[in-house]
Amino acid sequence: MKTMKMAVLGLGLGFAGLVQAAGFGVVDLEKVVESSTYLKQQNASLEQSVKPQTTKLEQITKDIEALKQKAQAQGANVQQINAQYQAKVNEFQTIQQGVQTKVQTTIQNTNATFETRVKQAAEQLRQEAGLDFVLNKNSALAYDAKNDLTAKMIQKVNAIK
């Protein structure tokens, strides 16, 4: 009987540790992303860096359309127009592939840097508030709004240089 009481007492103490809620905070990562000055800067920089190529692609598209119209005209040198058309299509594809590669590389690098910043800010918040966890708001089924650290997280992420 005494062994049974000890086992129940030990089991009860084990559950007591599970019942005690760990300190946690939640962060709305979508709002952090939307409010990130870093991501806004990177996006603007990327747009500026590919602007000359996108402008060139627009011009090539117009040139291709003009060649199509010229080819439909009576008395046009079809072989010459076809060669010009193919050269323009090849140029378009080359520029487009270059832009696509640049965009993908930039996005990958930006995401890696941003993820590091978010994790760093979350760890700072966790330590400052003495929390055990900082969770993505979308991962929590229910939580008390007082545990929402989104505004603080946005400040910390934007402060990282």
PDB file of all heavy atoms in Angstrom, residues 114-146:
ATOM      1  N   PHE A 114      16.465  37.919 -43.211  1.00  0.00           N
ATOM      2  CA  PHE A 114      15.284  38.297 -42.432  1.00  0.00           C
ATOM      3  C   PHE A 114      14.959  37.235 -41.383  1.00  0.00           C
ATOM      4  O   PHE A 114      14.624  37.555 -40.244  1.00  0.00           O
ATOM      5  CB  PHE A 114      14.085  38.526 -43.351  1.00  0.00           C
ATOM      6  CG  PHE A 114      12.885  39.052 -42.624  1.00  0.00           C
ATOM      7  CD1 PHE A 114      12.886  40.340 -42.102  1.00  0.00           C
ATOM      8  CD2 PHE A 114      11.762  38.273 -42.465  1.00  0.00           C
ATOM      9  CE1 PHE A 114      11.781  40.829 -41.419  1.00  0.00           C
ATOM     10  CE2 PHE A 114      10.653  38.753 -41.793  1.00  0.00           C
ATOM     11  CZ  PHE A 114      10.659  40.029 -41.266  1.00  0.00           C
ATOM     12  N   GLU A 115      15.079  35.971 -41.749  1.00  0.00           N
ATOM     13  CA  GLU A 115      14.816  34.887 -40.797  1.00  0.00           C
ATOM     14  C   GLU A 115      15.772  34.986 -39.609  1.00  0.00           C
ATOM     15  O   GLU A 115      15.363  34.824 -38.457  1.00  0.00           O
ATOM     16  CB  GLU A 115      14.961  33.523 -41.475  1.00  0.00           C
ATOM     17  CG  GLU A 115      14.684  32.358 -40.545  1.00  0.00           C
ATOM     18  CD  GLU A 115      14.850  31.006 -41.214  1.00  0.00           C
ATOM     19  OE1 GLU A 115      15.012  30.947 -42.452  1.00  0.00           O
ATOM     20  OE2 GLU A 115      14.818  29.994 -40.490  1.00  0.00           O
ATOM     21  N   THR A 116      17.037  35.276 -39.877  1.00  0.00           N
ATOM     22  CA  THR A 116      18.016  35.441 -38.803  1.00  0.00           C
ATOM     23  C   THR A 116      17.614  36.594 -37.895  1.00  0.00           C
ATOM     24  O   THR A 116      17.682  36.492 -36.666  1.00  0.00           O
ATOM     25  CB  THR A 116      19.417  35.685 -39.393  1.00  0.00           C
ATOM     26  OG1 THR A 116      19.773  34.560 -40.201  1.00  0.00           O
ATOM     27  CG2 THR A 116      20.460  35.880 -38.304  1.00  0.00           C
ATOM     28  N   ARG A 117      17.184  37.696 -38.476  1.00  0.00           N
ATOM     29  CA  ARG A 117      16.761  38.864 -37.697  1.00  0.00           C
ATOM     30  C   ARG A 117      15.545  38.538 -36.832  1.00  0.00           C
ATOM     31  O   ARG A 117      15.477  38.956 -35.671  1.00  0.00           O
ATOM     32  CB  ARG A 117      16.445  40.034 -38.620  1.00  0.00           C
ATOM     33  CG  ARG A 117      17.675  40.626 -39.259  1.00  0.00           C
ATOM     34  CD  ARG A 117      17.325  41.712 -40.242  1.00  0.00           C
ATOM     35  NE  ARG A 117      18.543  42.298 -40.795  1.00  0.00           N
ATOM     36  CZ  ARG A 117      18.650  43.536 -41.209  1.00  0.00           C
ATOM     37  NH1 ARG A 117      17.613  44.342 -41.174  1.00  0.00           N
ATOM     38  NH2 ARG A 117      19.790  43.980 -41.685  1.00  0.00           N
ATOM     39  N   VAL A 118      14.587  37.825 -37.389  1.00  0.00           N
ATOM     40  CA  VAL A 118      13.377  37.473 -36.644  1.00  0.00           C
ATOM     41  C   VAL A 118      13.737  36.566 -35.464  1.00  0.00           C
ATOM     42  O   VAL A 118      13.270  36.774 -34.345  1.00  0.00           O
ATOM     43  CB  VAL A 118      12.334  36.803 -37.567  1.00  0.00           C
ATOM     44  CG1 VAL A 118      11.228  36.136 -36.770  1.00  0.00           C
ATOM     45  CG2 VAL A 118      11.754  37.824 -38.528  1.00  0.00           C
ATOM     46  N   LYS A 119      14.587  35.589 -35.712  1.00  0.00           N
ATOM     47  CA  LYS A 119      14.987  34.677 -34.627  1.00  0.00           C
ATOM     48  C   LYS A 119      15.765  35.419 -33.546  1.00  0.00           C
ATOM     49  O   LYS A 119      15.575  35.172 -32.355  1.00  0.00           O
ATOM     50  CB  LYS A 119      15.814  33.513 -35.189  1.00  0.00           C
ATOM     51  CG  LYS A 119      14.976  32.518 -35.956  1.00  0.00           C
ATOM     52  CD  LYS A 119      15.820  31.391 -36.522  1.00  0.00           C
ATOM     53  CE  LYS A 119      14.972  30.390 -37.265  1.00  0.00           C
ATOM     54  NZ  LYS A 119      15.767  29.300 -37.846  1.00  0.00           N
ATOM     55  N   GLN A 120      16.632  36.330 -33.959  1.00  0.00           N
ATOM     56  CA  GLN A 120      17.407  37.129 -33.007  1.00  0.00           C
ATOM     57  C   GLN A 120      16.469  37.998 -32.156  1.00  0.00           C
ATOM     58  O   GLN A 120      16.602  38.047 -30.933  1.00  0.00           O
ATOM     59  CB  GLN A 120      18.409  38.003 -33.757  1.00  0.00           C
ATOM     60  CG  GLN A 120      19.289  38.858 -32.868  1.00  0.00           C
ATOM     61  CD  GLN A 120      20.232  39.736 -33.697  1.00  0.00           C
ATOM     62  OE1 GLN A 120      20.381  39.590 -34.897  1.00  0.00           O
ATOM     63  NE2 GLN A 120      20.881  40.673 -33.030  1.00  0.00           N
ATOM     64  N   ALA A 121      15.523  38.651 -32.792  1.00  0.00           N
ATOM     65  CA  ALA A 121      14.571  39.509 -32.072  1.00  0.00           C
ATOM     66  C   ALA A 121      13.691  38.674 -31.145  1.00  0.00           C
ATOM     67  O   ALA A 121      13.419  39.081 -30.005  1.00  0.00           O
ATOM     68  CB  ALA A 121      13.712  40.295 -33.060  1.00  0.00           C
ATOM     69  N   ALA A 122      13.254  37.511 -31.601  1.00  0.00           N
ATOM     70  CA  ALA A 122      12.420  36.639 -30.766  1.00  0.00           C
ATOM     71  C   ALA A 122      13.190  36.168 -29.536  1.00  0.00           C
ATOM     72  O   ALA A 122      12.643  36.139 -28.426  1.00  0.00           O
ATOM     73  CB  ALA A 122      11.935  35.440 -31.581  1.00  0.00           C
ATOM     74  N   GLU A 123      14.445  35.836 -29.717  1.00  0.00           N
ATOM     75  CA  GLU A 123      15.265  35.401 -28.577  1.00  0.00           C
ATOM     76  C   GLU A 123      15.465  36.550 -27.589  1.00  0.00           C
ATOM     77  O   GLU A 123      15.410  36.347 -26.374  1.00  0.00           O
ATOM     78  CB  GLU A 123      16.607  34.844 -29.059  1.00  0.00           C
ATOM     79  CG  GLU A 123      17.520  34.344 -27.943  1.00  0.00           C
ATOM     80  CD  GLU A 123      16.915  33.231 -27.086  1.00  0.00           C
ATOM     81  OE1 GLU A 123      16.011  32.498 -27.559  1.00  0.00           O
ATOM     82  OE2 GLU A 123      17.346  33.083 -25.932  1.00  0.00           O
ATOM     83  N   GLN A 124      15.693  37.759 -28.100  1.00  0.00           N
ATOM     84  CA  GLN A 124      15.816  38.924 -27.218  1.00  0.00           C
ATOM     85  C   GLN A 124      14.535  39.135 -26.421  1.00  0.00           C
ATOM     86  O   GLN A 124      14.582  39.345 -25.207  1.00  0.00           O
ATOM     87  CB  GLN A 124      16.133  40.187 -28.019  1.00  0.00           C
ATOM     88  CG  GLN A 124      17.532  40.248 -28.572  1.00  0.00           C
ATOM     89  CD  GLN A 124      17.724  41.467 -29.486  1.00  0.00           C
ATOM     90  OE1 GLN A 124      16.828  42.272 -29.688  1.00  0.00           O
ATOM     91  NE2 GLN A 124      18.925  41.570 -30.060  1.00  0.00           N
ATOM     92  N   LEU A 125      13.400  39.076 -27.093  1.00  0.00           N
ATOM     93  CA  LEU A 125      12.109  39.239 -26.415  1.00  0.00           C
ATOM     94  C   LEU A 125      11.898  38.150 -25.371  1.00  0.00           C
ATOM     95  O   LEU A 125      11.422  38.418 -24.266  1.00  0.00           O
ATOM     96  CB  LEU A 125      10.955  39.189 -27.421  1.00  0.00           C
ATOM     97  CG  LEU A 125      10.665  40.441 -28.210  1.00  0.00           C
ATOM     98  CD1 LEU A 125       9.619  40.170 -29.276  1.00  0.00           C
ATOM     99  CD2 LEU A 125      10.200  41.556 -27.286  1.00  0.00           C
ATOM    100  N   ARG A 126      12.211  36.934 -25.738  1.00  0.00           N
ATOM    101  CA  ARG A 126      12.035  35.805 -24.820  1.00  0.00           C
ATOM    102  C   ARG A 126      12.854  36.013 -23.550  1.00  0.00           C
ATOM    103  O   ARG A 126      12.358  35.857 -22.445  1.00  0.00           O
ATOM    104  CB  ARG A 126      12.444  34.492 -25.503  1.00  0.00           C
ATOM    105  CG  ARG A 126      12.105  33.242 -24.683  1.00  0.00           C
ATOM    106  CD  ARG A 126      12.778  32.020 -25.236  1.00  0.00           C
ATOM    107  NE  ARG A 126      14.216  32.034 -25.042  1.00  0.00           N
ATOM    108  CZ  ARG A 126      14.836  31.834 -23.861  1.00  0.00           C
ATOM    109  NH1 ARG A 126      14.154  31.630 -22.769  1.00  0.00           N
ATOM    110  NH2 ARG A 126      16.147  31.865 -23.790  1.00  0.00           N
ATOM    111  N   GLN A 127      14.118  36.405 -23.726  1.00  0.00           N
ATOM    112  CA  GLN A 127      14.994  36.612 -22.569  1.00  0.00           C
ATOM    113  C   GLN A 127      14.550  37.810 -21.736  1.00  0.00           C
ATOM    114  O   GLN A 127      14.507  37.724 -20.511  1.00  0.00           O
ATOM    115  CB  GLN A 127      16.441  36.799 -23.029  1.00  0.00           C
ATOM    116  CG  GLN A 127      17.072  35.516 -23.539  1.00  0.00           C
ATOM    117  CD  GLN A 127      18.486  35.721 -24.054  1.00  0.00           C
ATOM    118  OE1 GLN A 127      19.014  36.821 -24.030  1.00  0.00           O
ATOM    119  NE2 GLN A 127      19.096  34.646 -24.538  1.00  0.00           N
ATOM    120  N   GLU A 128      14.228  38.916 -22.393  1.00  0.00           N
ATOM    121  CA  GLU A 128      13.825  40.127 -21.669  1.00  0.00           C
ATOM    122  C   GLU A 128      12.561  39.915 -20.842  1.00  0.00           C
ATOM    123  O   GLU A 128      12.438  40.446 -19.743  1.00  0.00           O
ATOM    124  CB  GLU A 128      13.590  41.288 -22.646  1.00  0.00           C
ATOM    125  CG  GLU A 128      14.865  41.816 -23.257  1.00  0.00           C
ATOM    126  CD  GLU A 128      14.612  42.797 -24.394  1.00  0.00           C
ATOM    127  OE1 GLU A 128      13.437  43.143 -24.668  1.00  0.00           O
ATOM    128  OE2 GLU A 128      15.598  43.217 -25.026  1.00  0.00           O
ATOM    129  N   ALA A 129      11.617  39.143 -21.386  1.00  0.00           N
ATOM    130  CA  ALA A 129      10.349  38.920 -20.690  1.00  0.00           C
ATOM    131  C   ALA A 129      10.377  37.672 -19.810  1.00  0.00           C
ATOM    132  O   ALA A 129       9.388  37.361 -19.157  1.00  0.00           O
ATOM    133  CB  ALA A 129       9.215  38.815 -21.713  1.00  0.00           C
ATOM    134  N   GLY A 130      11.502  36.958 -19.803  1.00  0.00           N
ATOM    135  CA  GLY A 130      11.607  35.745 -18.993  1.00  0.00           C
ATOM    136  C   GLY A 130      10.648  34.658 -19.463  1.00  0.00           C
ATOM    137  O   GLY A 130      10.061  33.947 -18.640  1.00  0.00           O
ATOM    138  N   LEU A 131      10.498  34.521 -20.749  1.00  0.00           N
ATOM    139  CA  LEU A 131       9.566  33.548 -21.316  1.00  0.00           C
ATOM    140  C   LEU A 131      10.284  32.255 -21.677  1.00  0.00           C
ATOM    141  O   LEU A 131      11.482  32.243 -21.905  1.00  0.00           O
ATOM    142  CB  LEU A 131       8.905  34.127 -22.577  1.00  0.00           C
ATOM    143  CG  LEU A 131       8.153  35.437 -22.411  1.00  0.00           C
ATOM    144  CD1 LEU A 131       7.713  35.973 -23.771  1.00  0.00           C
ATOM    145  CD2 LEU A 131       6.950  35.246 -21.498  1.00  0.00           C
ATOM    146  N   ASP A 132       9.483  31.203 -21.755  1.00  0.00           N
ATOM    147  CA  ASP A 132      10.010  29.926 -22.215  1.00  0.00           C
ATOM    148  C   ASP A 132       9.862  29.792 -23.731  1.00  0.00           C
ATOM    149  O   ASP A 132      10.663  29.134 -24.384  1.00  0.00           O
ATOM    150  CB  ASP A 132       9.272  28.758 -21.538  1.00  0.00           C
ATOM    151  CG  ASP A 132       9.526  28.725 -20.043  1.00  0.00           C
ATOM    152  OD1 ASP A 132      10.677  28.961 -19.634  1.00  0.00           O
ATOM    153  OD2 ASP A 132       8.575  28.485 -19.286  1.00  0.00           O
ATOM    154  N   PHE A 133       8.831  30.434 -24.292  1.00  0.00           N
ATOM    155  CA  PHE A 133       8.524  30.295 -25.713  1.00  0.00           C
ATOM    156  C   PHE A 133       8.064  31.626 -26.303  1.00  0.00           C
ATOM    157  O   PHE A 133       7.394  32.403 -25.633  1.00  0.00           O
ATOM    158  CB  PHE A 133       7.363  29.313 -25.953  1.00  0.00           C
ATOM    159  CG  PHE A 133       7.588  27.943 -25.400  1.00  0.00           C
ATOM    160  CD1 PHE A 133       7.030  27.575 -24.188  1.00  0.00           C
ATOM    161  CD2 PHE A 133       8.337  27.016 -26.099  1.00  0.00           C
ATOM    162  CE1 PHE A 133       7.225  26.304 -23.675  1.00  0.00           C
ATOM    163  CE2 PHE A 133       8.538  25.750 -25.592  1.00  0.00           C
ATOM    164  CZ  PHE A 133       7.981  25.392 -24.377  1.00  0.00           C
ATOM    165  N   VAL A 134       8.396  31.837 -27.563  1.00  0.00           N
ATOM    166  CA  VAL A 134       7.773  32.870 -28.378  1.00  0.00           C
ATOM    167  C   VAL A 134       7.260  32.123 -29.603  1.00  0.00           C
ATOM    168  O   VAL A 134       8.034  31.530 -30.345  1.00  0.00           O
ATOM    169  CB  VAL A 134       8.753  33.996 -28.779  1.00  0.00           C
ATOM    170  CG1 VAL A 134       8.074  34.972 -29.727  1.00  0.00           C
ATOM    171  CG2 VAL A 134       9.273  34.715 -27.558  1.00  0.00           C
ATOM    172  N   LEU A 135       5.936  32.136 -29.772  1.00  0.00           N
ATOM    173  CA  LEU A 135       5.291  31.356 -30.817  1.00  0.00           C
ATOM    174  C   LEU A 135       4.710  32.246 -31.912  1.00  0.00           C
ATOM    175  O   LEU A 135       4.340  33.387 -31.646  1.00  0.00           O
ATOM    176  CB  LEU A 135       4.141  30.534 -30.215  1.00  0.00           C
ATOM    177  CG  LEU A 135       4.483  29.609 -29.055  1.00  0.00           C
ATOM    178  CD1 LEU A 135       3.218  29.070 -28.420  1.00  0.00           C
ATOM    179  CD2 LEU A 135       5.369  28.475 -29.533  1.00  0.00           C
ATOM    180  N   ASN A 136       4.596  31.680 -33.085  1.00  0.00           N
ATOM    181  CA  ASN A 136       3.878  32.348 -34.162  1.00  0.00           C
ATOM    182  C   ASN A 136       2.400  32.358 -33.782  1.00  0.00           C
ATOM    183  O   ASN A 136       1.829  31.327 -33.435  1.00  0.00           O
ATOM    184  CB  ASN A 136       4.081  31.598 -35.478  1.00  0.00           C
ATOM    185  CG  ASN A 136       3.397  32.247 -36.652  1.00  0.00           C
ATOM    186  OD1 ASN A 136       2.633  33.197 -36.512  1.00  0.00           O
ATOM    187  ND2 ASN A 136       3.660  31.717 -37.829  1.00  0.00           N
ATOM    188  N   LYS A 137       1.789  33.506 -33.834  1.00  0.00           N
ATOM    189  CA  LYS A 137       0.383  33.677 -33.464  1.00  0.00           C
ATOM    190  C   LYS A 137      -0.509  32.687 -34.219  1.00  0.00           C
ATOM    191  O   LYS A 137      -1.476  32.166 -33.656  1.00  0.00           O
ATOM    192  CB  LYS A 137      -0.028  35.116 -33.769  1.00  0.00           C
ATOM    193  CG  LYS A 137      -1.411  35.499 -33.386  1.00  0.00           C
ATOM    194  CD  LYS A 137      -1.619  36.976 -33.711  1.00  0.00           C
ATOM    195  CE  LYS A 137      -2.999  37.450 -33.383  1.00  0.00           C
ATOM    196  NZ  LYS A 137      -3.174  38.876 -33.668  1.00  0.00           N
ATOM    197  N   ASN A 138      -0.187  32.421 -35.459  1.00  0.00           N
ATOM    198  CA  ASN A 138      -1.008  31.515 -36.271  1.00  0.00           C
ATOM    199  C   ASN A 138      -0.886  30.053 -35.845  1.00  0.00           C
ATOM    200  O   ASN A 138      -1.680  29.227 -36.269  1.00  0.00           O
ATOM    201  CB  ASN A 138      -0.649  31.667 -37.748  1.00  0.00           C
ATOM    202  CG  ASN A 138      -0.963  33.046 -38.268  1.00  0.00           C
ATOM    203  OD1 ASN A 138      -1.912  33.684 -37.811  1.00  0.00           O
ATOM    204  ND2 ASN A 138      -0.178  33.529 -39.205  1.00  0.00           N
ATOM    205  N   SER A 139       0.107  29.740 -35.015  1.00  0.00           N
ATOM    206  CA  SER A 139       0.287  28.371 -34.544  1.00  0.00           C
ATOM    207  C   SER A 139      -0.487  28.104 -33.262  1.00  0.00           C
ATOM    208  O   SER A 139      -0.649  26.958 -32.867  1.00  0.00           O
ATOM    209  CB  SER A 139       1.767  28.075 -34.283  1.00  0.00           C
ATOM    210  OG  SER A 139       2.491  28.199 -35.473  1.00  0.00           O
ATOM    211  N   ALA A 140      -0.948  29.159 -32.614  1.00  0.00           N
ATOM    212  CA  ALA A 140      -1.661  29.005 -31.337  1.00  0.00           C
ATOM    213  C   ALA A 140      -3.155  28.898 -31.608  1.00  0.00           C
ATOM    214  O   ALA A 140      -3.728  29.697 -32.351  1.00  0.00           O
ATOM    215  CB  ALA A 140      -1.372  30.197 -30.441  1.00  0.00           C
ATOM    216  N   LEU A 141      -3.778  27.904 -30.984  1.00  0.00           N
ATOM    217  CA  LEU A 141      -5.223  27.755 -31.135  1.00  0.00           C
ATOM    218  C   LEU A 141      -5.964  28.828 -30.333  1.00  0.00           C
ATOM    219  O   LEU A 141      -7.009  29.304 -30.741  1.00  0.00           O
ATOM    220  CB  LEU A 141      -5.661  26.366 -30.683  1.00  0.00           C
ATOM    221  CG  LEU A 141      -5.113  25.208 -31.516  1.00  0.00           C
ATOM    222  CD1 LEU A 141      -5.512  23.878 -30.909  1.00  0.00           C
ATOM    223  CD2 LEU A 141      -5.609  25.304 -32.949  1.00  0.00           C
ATOM    224  N   ALA A 142      -5.410  29.161 -29.178  1.00  0.00           N
ATOM    225  CA  ALA A 142      -6.010  30.198 -28.331  1.00  0.00           C
ATOM    226  C   ALA A 142      -4.908  30.785 -27.463  1.00  0.00           C
ATOM    227  O   ALA A 142      -3.948  30.099 -27.107  1.00  0.00           O
ATOM    228  CB  ALA A 142      -7.111  29.600 -27.462  1.00  0.00           C
ATOM    229  N   TYR A 143      -5.040  32.055 -27.122  1.00  0.00           N
ATOM    230  CA  TYR A 143      -4.067  32.720 -26.264  1.00  0.00           C
ATOM    231  C   TYR A 143      -4.690  33.983 -25.711  1.00  0.00           C
ATOM    232  O   TYR A 143      -5.668  34.500 -26.251  1.00  0.00           O
ATOM    233  CB  TYR A 143      -2.760  33.022 -27.016  1.00  0.00           C
ATOM    234  CG  TYR A 143      -2.948  33.992 -28.146  1.00  0.00           C
ATOM    235  CD1 TYR A 143      -2.801  35.356 -27.945  1.00  0.00           C
ATOM    236  CD2 TYR A 143      -3.297  33.540 -29.407  1.00  0.00           C
ATOM    237  CE1 TYR A 143      -3.001  36.255 -28.985  1.00  0.00           C
ATOM    238  CE2 TYR A 143      -3.504  34.428 -30.441  1.00  0.00           C
ATOM    239  CZ  TYR A 143      -3.354  35.783 -30.225  1.00  0.00           C
ATOM    240  OH  TYR A 143      -3.557  36.666 -31.242  1.00  0.00           O
ATOM    241  N   ASP A 144      -4.100  34.485 -24.646  1.00  0.00           N
ATOM    242  CA  ASP A 144      -4.541  35.741 -24.055  1.00  0.00           C
ATOM    243  C   ASP A 144      -3.840  36.868 -24.799  1.00  0.00           C
ATOM    244  O   ASP A 144      -2.628  36.832 -25.001  1.00  0.00           O
ATOM    245  CB  ASP A 144      -4.160  35.753 -22.572  1.00  0.00           C
ATOM    246  CG  ASP A 144      -4.785  36.905 -21.816  1.00  0.00           C
ATOM    247  OD1 ASP A 144      -5.101  37.936 -22.447  1.00  0.00           O
ATOM    248  OD2 ASP A 144      -4.947  36.791 -20.594  1.00  0.00           O
ATOM    249  N   ALA A 145      -4.590  37.891 -25.209  1.00  0.00           N
ATOM    250  CA  ALA A 145      -4.027  38.998 -25.977  1.00  0.00           C
ATOM    251  C   ALA A 145      -2.895  39.706 -25.253  1.00  0.00           C
ATOM    252  O   ALA A 145      -2.042  40.322 -25.890  1.00  0.00           O
ATOM    253  CB  ALA A 145      -5.135  39.996 -26.329  1.00  0.00           C
ATOM    254  N   LYS A 146      -2.844  39.604 -23.941  1.00  0.00           N
ATOM    255  CA  LYS A 146      -1.754  40.250 -23.197  1.00  0.00           C
ATOM    256  C   LYS A 146      -0.402  39.613 -23.518  1.00  0.00           C
ATOM    257  O   LYS A 146       0.643  40.203 -23.256  1.00  0.00           O
ATOM    258  CB  LYS A 146      -2.010  40.205 -21.685  1.00  0.00           C
ATOM    259  CG  LYS A 146      -1.859  38.830 -21.069  1.00  0.00           C
ATOM    260  CD  LYS A 146      -2.071  38.833 -19.589  1.00  0.00           C
ATOM    261  CE  LYS A 146      -1.834  37.431 -19.060  1.00  0.00           C
ATOM    262  NZ  LYS A 146      -2.164  37.275 -17.686  1.00  0.00           N
TER     263      LYS A 146
END
